Amino acid sequence: MIRSIPRRTILSSLVALPAALLLAACSDGGEDKAAEAAKPAEPAAAAPAETAAPAKPAVTAPPSQGTVDMAKLLEAGALPEKSLGKADAPVTIVEYASMTCGHCAHFHETTLPALKEKYIDTGKARLIFREFPFDPRAEAGFMLARCSNDNYFAMVDVLFKQQEAWAGVENAKEALLQISKLAGFSQESFEACLTDQKLLEDVRAVRARGEADFKVDSTPTFFINGNTYKGAMSIEEMSAIIDGML
């Protein structure tokens, strides 16, 4: 059950929320596992030349942690889908993330650019990005991204890249305001966005559906053609998964 936060406290919570809470925002105890998943596997030591076996991939596909019904996963939710890539791509990746999650930021800064170049831009994969906020600051970040309309992914990228500047500081409201002004927000549109109760409820509904229907309990969580993978993955690990589906 997601704790309800009254509308009048959303902006004030950006100032009052303890920074320590945000440091554990990636999961309810799964950070160590996610951190391990973020590390590329080490290649095996080469065998002596005279007995060398055929070359093997440096990174093997991590095992799936379950499956979900793709048809149900792709059903419309409370908010319009935000996606990158062609709708008819043979591989569909659905990512649930939190804006205050350090592992999510790491994935978006290090893996996503290569994933986009290698698979999304070439029509091989489509990425659907869904909100799974663990705290009011993550909710605020997603709301501002949604209020950016066509600049949704650009705002998400900026917030991930500047995560340390707003997610764990004492006054996140002021930090988010300054970032938002660079993205074209005024003081008025910033506050209007963060007091949009319907938008807040819809963002929470996206999380609630992920939690209830697809058992998302940590971020990032990926569903790749219906297979479940928890934790930030390297491009080598994602390539190993995707190449096996093409």
Side-chain angles (χ1 to χ4, degrees):
M1 178 67 67
I2 301 173
R3 181 171 59 89
S4 177
I5 301 174
R7 175 180 179 178
R8 66 180 181 275
T9 69
I10 290 297
L11 287 173
S12 61
S13 70
L14 298 181
V15 178
L17 194 68
L21 175 60
L22 301 174
L23 299 179
C26 292
S27 69
D28 297 327
E31 281 196 313
D32 291 340
K33 185 174 185 179
E36 286 301 314
K39 300 177 182 178
E42 296 183 0
E50 64 273 17
T51 59
K56 294 183 179 180
V59 176
T60 57
S64 168
Q65 294 165 282
T67 60
V68 298
D69 183 332
M70 274 298 289
K72 184 175 182 180
L73 181 67
L74 296 180
E75 287 177 358
L79 287 168
E81 297 282 33
K82 293 296 184 179
S83 64
L84 297 170
K86 297 180 179 180
D88 62 352
V91 176
T92 297
I93 305 165
V94 177
E95 176 191 1
Y96 281 89
S98 178
M99 288 307 309
T100 51
C101 168
H103 298 303
C104 299
H106 177 79
F107 173 82
H108 277 255
E109 288 185 53
T110 62
T111 302
L112 182 57
L115 180 69
K116 190 172 183 296
E117 179 181 1
K118 188 174 182 180
Y119 296 103
I120 296 173
D121 293 347
T122 58
K124 296 177 182 178
R126 178 190 187 204
L127 174 70
I128 297 172
F129 185 74
R130 290 181 181 169
E131 296 89 347
F132 200 86
F134 277 105
D135 55 79
R137 295 186 182 194
E139 291 177 337
F142 282 129
M143 291 171 73
L144 290 169
R146 285 283 177 175
C147 290
S148 299
N149 299 316
D150 292 342
N151 293 319
Y152 178 87
F153 281 107
M155 190 65 175
V156 166
D157 287 345
V158 168
L159 290 173
F160 273 140
K161 288 177 180 177
Q162 299 191 29
Q163 191 181 76
E164 292 184 2
W166 65 271
V169 300
E170 183 175 352
N171 190 343
K173 176 184 175 182
E174 182 61 28
L176 282 172
L177 175 60
Q178 295 309 313
I179 294 172
S180 298
K181 283 183 175 180
L182 295 175
F185 284 79
S186 64
Q187 175 90 35
E188 293 74 21
S189 62
F190 173 81
E191 294 194 2
C193 179
L194 295 185
T195 54
D196 184 338
Q197 186 66 15
K198 177 63 165 58
L199 177 57
L200 174 62
E201 290 172 356
D202 286 344
V203 167
R204 289 176 176 173
V206 173
R207 170 182 165 157
R209 179 187 173 212
E211 193 170 35
D213 293 352
F214 310 116
K215 310 307 178 188
V216 179
D217 58 5
S218 63
T219 56
T221 291
F222 300 92
F223 297 99
I224 305 179
N225 278 5
N227 295 310
T228 307
Y229 302 90
K230 294 180 181 288
M233 291 185 283
S234 67
I235 186 58
E236 292 82 7
E237 290 172 316
M238 295 207 80
S239 293
I241 295 170
I242 295 170
D243 287 346
M245 297 177 175
L246 295 176

